[in-house]
Amino acid sequence: MAQTTVITFYGRSHLSEKALLMFKEIPSFRCYRSIKSVNTLLNALLNCKEYIKIGEMLKNFEKYGTPDVCTFNILMKMCCNRGDLRNARQVFDEMCKRGITPNVVTFGTLINGLCANGELNEAFRMKRVMERDFKLKGTNAFVYVALIKGLCKVDDLLGYIDEMEGKGCKPDVISCNVIIRGLCDDGKLREASELLDDMPRRRCKPDVVSYRIYLDGLCKAMKFKEAAVILHEMVFKGYENFAFI
């Protein structure tokens, strides 16, 4: 529907009144206002930070259809943008209560909000829920970047892993890879190497991605001799399929 494209454009241009006018005029184009067009308008209003108008739209939502996963994702993002994590969790709970299955965007939005507010333990818990209960992969770029940004705010990342384990939050290979990336991006290559060596003790075997991240950090730091040593170590340990590195 061309009208939804126009509404999206108005949202990106922060022209909320024009977005609303286009939504109201949809029937004049011999089209009906569907859940897709409502979601498009909600997202446009969110881009304009028109939270009151979003609330007004929600009061009459039943006229247009039943909220879907996209609707709840938009509402959750609104809560996270306002730093209102309590209501973001309530939106998530309401979504599940209605039998609507969350997707990667749902978890990425919530995890990003948690990381932005320093709730890293809860962010990693939600990642595990995403993978364990909903069988969604935690390697999604949105989730990965959110976790990296959150972890980069932690001064002692290795200590943070110990804290996670002390609270019963055993880090998996993806969590460790995120932390290795955070350490490398922060120039803490020694700590990244320590974590890489320490992963087997934590019952978390490094994968090719673990080494790729560390190698990338070494090369960016112009430490090519150390990178060559790591490549030989990978061959010795049986990591033969790393031609894409």
Side-chain angles (χ1 to χ4, degrees):
M1 186 188 297
Q3 291 82 7
T4 56
T5 302
V6 175
I7 291 171
T8 298
F9 172 80
Y10 283 142
R12 290 174 180 170
S13 303
H14 301 286
L15 299 171
S16 60
E17 292 299 330
K18 289 192 174 184
L20 280 164
L21 182 60
M22 176 55 67
F23 178 77
K24 291 175 181 177
E25 290 181 350
I26 286 177
S28 67
F29 294 95
R30 296 182 181 179
C31 298
Y32 66 95
R33 286 174 287 199
S34 64
I35 187 65
K36 181 180 178 181
S37 58
V38 176
N39 288 339
T40 302
L41 177 61
L42 288 175
N43 196 54
L45 294 174
L46 179 60
N47 286 335
C48 299
K49 298 182 179 180
E50 295 280 8
Y51 304 130
I52 294 176
K53 289 177 181 175
I54 290 175
E56 292 171 354
M57 281 291 301
L58 294 177
K59 291 177 183 177
N60 301 307
F61 206 97
E62 66 278 359
K63 293 197 307 185
Y64 311 111
T66 303
D68 60 10
V69 62
C70 183
T71 311
F72 281 97
N73 288 346
I74 293 168
L75 298 180
M76 196 177 300
K77 185 176 181 181
M78 178 183 72
C79 294
C80 290
N81 285 357
R82 301 175 73 180
D84 189 355
L85 294 178
R86 184 178 65 83
N87 275 326
R89 292 187 182 97
Q90 288 181 352
V91 171
F92 179 84
D93 292 340
E94 178 65 22
M95 178 181 182
C96 295
K97 189 186 300 181
R98 291 186 180 217
I100 299 173
T101 304
N103 57 22
V104 173
V105 175
T106 309
F107 284 100
T109 300
L110 189 53
I111 288 171
N112 185 62
L114 290 166
C115 288
N117 286 274
E119 296 192 26
L120 292 178
N121 286 330
E122 181 65 9
F124 275 104
R125 189 188 73 80
M126 290 304 299
K127 184 182 79 66
R128 287 193 298 278
V129 169
M130 175 180 71
E131 296 166 342
R132 182 191 64 218
D133 299 346
F134 295 93
K135 311 303 178 186
L136 296 170
K137 293 183 178 180
T139 50
N140 176 267
F142 187 20
V143 174
Y144 195 73
V145 170
L147 291 171
I148 288 174
K149 287 181 178 179
L151 285 167
C152 284
K153 298 176 183 178
V154 178
D155 293 329
D156 182 11
L157 281 170
L158 295 181
Y160 180 73
I161 297 182
D162 293 331
E163 180 184 332
M164 284 177 63
E165 291 183 321
K167 294 181 178 180
C169 302
K170 181 182 177 296
D172 57 14
V173 65
I174 295 174
S175 304
C176 287
N177 287 349
V178 168
I179 294 172
I180 291 171
R181 169 64 72 187
L183 289 167
C184 288
D185 287 349
D186 203 29
K188 298 177 179 179
L189 295 173
R190 181 179 60 80
E191 290 90 338
S193 177
E194 288 176 5
L195 176 54
L196 197 61
D197 292 338
D198 200 38
M199 284 173 68
R201 182 187 67 79
R202 299 176 187 272
R203 296 180 182 178
C204 178
K205 184 180 178 181
D207 59 10
V208 174
V209 176
S210 311
Y211 284 99
R212 183 179 65 179
I213 293 169
Y214 182 50
L215 280 169
D216 183 59
L218 288 172
C219 291
K220 285 180 178 177
M222 308 294 283
K223 295 182 179 294
F224 301 117
K225 289 184 179 180
E226 291 88 339
V229 171
I230 294 298
L231 283 171
H232 286 298
E233 181 181 326
M234 291 179 70
V235 174
F236 178 76
K237 291 183 177 180
Y239 292 92
E240 297 178 356
N241 185 25
F242 58 89
F244 63 91
I245 292 177

